[in-house]
Amino acid sequence: MDLAHSEEEEEFRARLREWLAAVLPTLPARPDPLDWPARRAYDCGWQRRLYDAGYADVHWDASPTQRLIFLEETELAGAPYVGANFVGLLHAGPTIAAEGTAGQRDRWLPGILRGDEVWCQGFSEPEAGSDLASLRTRAVRDGDAYVVSGQKIWTSHAEVADWCELLVRTDPTASKHRGISWLAMPMDAPGVTVRPLRTLAGSTEFAEMFLDEVRIPVGNRVGEENDGWRVTMVTLSFERGTAFVGEVVACRRLLGELARTARRNGTWDDPVLRRRLGRLSAEFQALWRLTQANVSEAQATGGVPGAGGSVFKLHYSHARQELYEAAAAVLGPDALDLGRDWTLDRLSSLSYTIAAGTSQIQRNIVAERILGLPKGR
Amino acid sequence: MDFRLTEDQRALRKGVRELLARLFGREALRAAVDAPSPSLDRELWRELGAAGFFALRLPEEEGGVGLGLPEAVLAFEEAGRCLVPGPLVATHVAAGAVPGAAEGSTVVTEVDEGLVPWLDEADVVLGDVAGAAPMRSVDPLTPLHRVPGLVGTTGVPDTADVLPATGVAVLLTAAEQVGSAAATTEMAVRYAREREQFGQVIGGFQAVKHLCAGMLVRVELARAAVWAASVTADPVEIAGAKLLADEAATGNARDCLQVYGGMGFTWEADVHLHLKRAWVRAGLRLPAARAEEVVAAGL
């Protein structure tokens, strides 16, 4: 147990802090949260700034501890979050870095790091949401290409993406986990149709995607043919293990903001509400510590976070929803104003216990993979 | 930064676990429960003292082991795991200040939240016990006296109320809660893998699996909080750790009882012993309402 940072890590923190203080005041105003093309431009612009300053690869090349410092400092400084680059930086990038060939890494990683290319995630299907292995989008080999047909859904950022990490069934006769492959699909390929879906928050951050005989070069397959399930597990463990790290820091900042608002508007005098905020603060502090524990474990075991990510995600997603409920109690009538960030965020938070595997799926993972309980119904 | 235990810490945990298995295994626990009235096992106390359990944090030049709060937390987690009875925390905190506490020859208890555990069996009692009256303690292995006029204070406390010495006692109590929460999780999982109903082990049913998964989440969160607080010794972090550890110990004992079904409601199963001790610890050393206020005050 050592929570202290090395001299080198503290130097990294000081340099980063200085850079953030210099660069943040020069950023343009944030775009309308419902305007995805504008958000893409803004998020990619920020990513480019990070790249030019040498911070872009912090998500998968730096040591996990440096990544924690990066996320802590950028969040505390109020810097933009990954936004539209979420899938590229936190899913597809780390997966290609871990499982791709040298050529694939050269082809895709620089575009992600520079903010030139945005990725989306083509995992879920109408009939295969959390039961991901039931996916039916099929890919038939034709010479040096796969011909892909099917339908994807809940594809975040599809409208503004250049590439899609696509899961397809390459062997329909194999057992459901065995016949899957992981492909990088260019979104401008003929046969790709994207139809944005409107979320309950009014945003079009995700979409349906129809694939009609889309030709994808065999060289775009990451990992072996029919080994996509294992590759996907790598992707998902990144998603559950580290992709939410920055958000915990964000929640701690939001909670501080909420306490200040409560002190200003008098709701702090309500002991029930005050204690509720105290409890949430203890939970987010503990979630931050749990993150450090998971990162330490991942660092010691070779970088890929294990099922511990599910433990984290389970509590985090519920705690964050609780945070917005407490916020509504503090804000009173303002909580009903869609013009407030809090209100939009409260609506968005409803997806947390569903996206990236529902809480029910996470509990199965914890029970089966960590506690060793039998698979079953 | 490396949150994992060091080699030495892992060895210490293993050593304490083996020691406690020898000194206070399941048979000893059940014998203590079945005794006509709870009595403090002086021999056990001396053996714990000889092993350095109470002197763990005393400097070596004062005859102690010279370890820190993180190591003490690991030792108390193990004590919580096997439900060692007695005022372990008060005696440990008194080591170095009260003669004989470090060696385990003096049993020290303390007035806390209007209650005094083990008053009749202790050699030294810290605090004013005037008018203390015995009550029928819910925990068969923690006799309690009530001190009039000392019911837990209310209102917004000053964070400074959680003084360093008190903070250590709060944290070590939280560590015991984590140990108990981990023990009931293991008990529930073991039972779920053995007990068959409807032609299969009940651990294959999603409803049971999800109870067990929830238990693990509570343990992991509380343990991360307790371990971190042992490193930072920050009063607000300690209060938060106690809050989550109480929730883990009481919540997990209840869920364990549920997994055990009818068996869980019997005196014969150990589940109720964990639940009752967890309730007592949750009522001592910064109970939830004030822990929440302390953390809120830090916002």
Side-chain angles (χ1 to χ4, degrees):
Chain A
M1 283 185 243
D2 177 12
L3 298 176
H5 292 296
S6 68
E7 209 170 293
E8 192 190 336
E9 288 163 349
E10 285 304 341
E11 272 168 30
F12 172 78
R13 186 197 295 277
R15 252 192 348 265
L16 174 61
R17 201 174 274 186
E18 203 176 309
W19 179 76
L20 285 168
V23 78
L24 289 182
T26 70
L27 283 188
R30 285 187 200 216
D32 180 340
L34 301 183
D35 181 350
W36 273 91
R39 281 178 71 176
R40 175 194 156 121
Y42 183 85
D43 295 342
C44 290
W46 171 242
Q47 185 58 29
R48 181 63 199 221
R49 295 256 192 149
L50 289 173
Y51 179 84
D52 289 341
Y55 292 115
D57 57 352
V58 77
H59 290 294
W60 67 78
D61 265 0
S63 78
T65 309
Q66 267 191 350
R67 186 162 66 234
L68 276 187
I69 294 172
F70 175 84
L71 291 166
E72 199 172 13
E73 290 301 324
T74 46
E75 189 50 54
L76 289 174
Y81 192 47
V82 282
N85 293 306
F86 187 89
V87 173
L89 282 168
L90 301 173
H91 294 213
T95 306
I96 293 165
E99 298 285 332
T101 62
Q104 289 173 333
R105 290 198 292 271
D106 290 347
R107 167 63 192 88
W108 287 306
L109 298 187
I112 293 172
L113 293 175
R114 279 199 302 261
D116 293 342
E117 292 181 331
V118 167
W119 284 65
C120 64
Q121 189 183 49
F123 281 14
S124 296
E125 296 186 5
E127 311 260 323
S130 283
D131 181 12
L132 194 53
S134 292
L135 65 90
R136 292 203 283 212
T137 292
R138 65 180 194 281
V140 180
R141 188 84 173 252
D142 178 25
D144 58 357
Y146 289 107
V147 179
V148 178
S149 294
Q151 185 189 350
K152 295 288 176 179
I153 198 167
W154 320 130
T155 309
S156 299
H157 318 324
E159 214 185 346
V160 295
D162 307 292
W163 289 91
C164 176
E165 49 170 359
L166 189 71
L167 286 186
V168 295
R169 190 160 295 284
T170 31
D171 182 356
T173 62
S175 69
K176 71 179 200 173
H177 292 89
R178 293 266 160 82
I180 294 172
S181 300
W182 196 107
L183 305 178
M185 178 179 77
M187 292 296 284
D188 60 0
V192 178
T193 308
V194 172
R195 196 168 73 83
L197 290 170
R198 200 160 179 219
T199 72
L200 54 73
S203 158
T204 52
E205 68 190 52
F206 56 35
E208 287 181 293
M209 201 162 60
F210 300 90
L211 308 172
D212 181 20
E213 303 204 340
V214 181
R215 288 186 74 85
I216 302 174
V218 170
N220 285 21
R221 189 190 68 229
V222 173
E224 294 301 308
E225 185 170 278
N226 300 328
D227 192 29
W229 185 256
R230 192 190 55 77
V231 176
T232 302
M233 288 303 110
V234 171
T235 306
L236 291 183
S237 68
F238 278 110
E239 179 173 26
R240 289 166 193 160
T242 56
F244 296 100
V245 166
E247 297 189 30
V248 182
V249 187
C251 286
R252 288 165 73 206
R253 189 172 54 75
L254 284 174
L255 202 54
E257 214 175 276
L258 202 56
R260 281 192 294 281
T261 305
R263 284 187 169 106
R264 262 200 314 274
N265 73 11
T267 47
W268 189 256
D269 296 334
D270 172 0
V272 175
L273 186 52
R274 191 172 63 229
R275 284 178 48 189
R276 192 168 160 195
L277 295 179
R279 172 166 289 265
L280 278 167
S281 179
E283 288 182 27
F284 282 110
Q285 177 70 15
L287 280 165
W288 175 243
R289 297 309 191 185
L290 189 59
T291 299
Q292 291 179 320
N294 281 346
V295 166
S296 295
E297 200 58 45
Q299 186 154 263
T301 54
V304 178
S310 291
V311 172
F312 170 85
K313 201 246 174 191
L314 256 174
H315 195 85
Y316 165 74
S317 52
H318 291 273
R320 181 141 191 192
Q321 289 175 349
E322 285 298 312
L323 171 62
Y324 290 114
E325 292 312 304
V330 170
L331 296 173
D334 280 353
L336 303 176
D337 178 358
L338 260 183
R340 299 284 301 242
D341 284 352
W342 279 106
T343 312
L344 269 181
D345 291 344
R346 183 186 184 196
L347 288 169
S348 296
S349 79
L350 296 170
S351 74
Y352 294 162
T353 46
I354 301 169
T358 64
S359 291
Q360 288 65 36
I361 292 292
Q362 305 297 338
R363 288 192 190 100
N364 282 354
I365 290 172
V366 170
E368 289 166 13
R369 294 199 211 149
I370 302 181
L371 298 177
L373 289 169
K375 286 183 182 285
R377 303 280 127 200
Chain B
M1 185 210 71
D2 187 353
F3 206 89
R4 293 169 314 139
L5 299 184
T6 63
E7 222 48 31
D8 286 349
Q9 286 169 337
R10 267 195 288 272
L12 173 84
R13 180 169 65 176
K14 185 164 173 280
V16 176
R17 188 172 298 188
E18 285 166 1
L19 174 81
L20 291 177
R22 186 163 57 75
L23 294 181
F24 197 73
R26 171 133 208 279
E27 278 175 35
L29 171 68
R30 293 312 305 202
V33 172
D34 293 338
S37 67
S39 66
L40 206 132
D41 182 348
R42 293 286 177 153
E43 187 51 35
L44 168 70
W45 216 254
R46 269 189 296 274
E47 293 229 38
L48 285 174
F53 190 88
F54 301 117
L56 199 69
R57 291 181 309 117
L58 278 188
E60 287 178 52
E61 51 277 19
E62 291 173 37
V65 188
L67 294 173
L69 204 46
E71 286 76 21
V73 154
L74 294 177
F76 274 80
E77 221 178 291
E78 293 307 318
R81 185 183 279 275
C82 56
L83 289 171
V84 178
L88 293 170
V89 172
T91 304
H92 176 99
V93 173
V98 174
E103 296 78 20
S105 52
T106 305
V107 175
V108 183
T109 190
E110 194 176 5
V111 183
D112 179 42
E113 300 297 330
L115 295 167
V116 199
W118 295 97
L119 178 61
D120 292 339
E121 302 270 333
D123 305 309
V124 174
V125 183
L126 305 174
D128 182 5
V129 289
M135 55 194 261
R136 285 182 62 200
S137 172
V138 66
D139 175 11
L141 290 178
T142 310
L144 291 169
H145 278 67
R146 227 184 137 131
V147 183
L150 273 176
V151 183
T153 46
T154 52
V156 188
D158 194 335
T159 311
D161 277 359
V162 190
L163 298 170
T166 322
V168 169
V170 171
L171 185 64
L172 295 181
T173 307
E176 287 185 294
Q177 295 285 58
V178 170
S180 173
T184 49
T185 305
E186 285 163 24
M187 285 163 67
V189 170
R190 201 182 313 122
Y191 192 78
R193 294 170 76 166
E194 287 167 3
R195 168 75 172 155
E196 288 189 22
Q197 290 269 269
F198 307 103
Q200 67 169 89
V201 293
I202 60 170
F205 295 116
Q206 201 167 60
V208 175
K209 272 187 195 174
H210 285 194
L211 273 179
C212 295
M215 292 168 78
L216 185 79
V217 171
R218 284 195 208 109
V219 175
E220 293 288 319
L221 194 70
R223 182 178 281 143
V226 167
W227 284 14
S230 78
V231 174
T232 64
D234 175 73
V236 173
E237 194 152 17
I238 288 175
K242 174 65 166 40
L243 189 61
L244 298 178
D246 284 347
E247 197 159 284
T250 55
N252 284 13
R254 290 185 61 147
D255 284 353
C256 180
L257 199 151
Q258 185 68 23
V259 171
Y260 268 63
M263 269 308 293
F265 194 65
T266 66
W267 189 265
E268 184 190 328
D270 294 345
V271 188
H272 70 108
L273 300 174
H274 277 283
L275 179 60
K276 291 164 178 173
R277 186 74 61 86
W279 278 349
V280 168
R281 289 194 203 106
L284 296 170
R285 314 267 183 217
L286 205 63
R290 278 193 302 123
E292 284 169 346
E293 289 283 14
V294 170
V295 184
L299 266 172

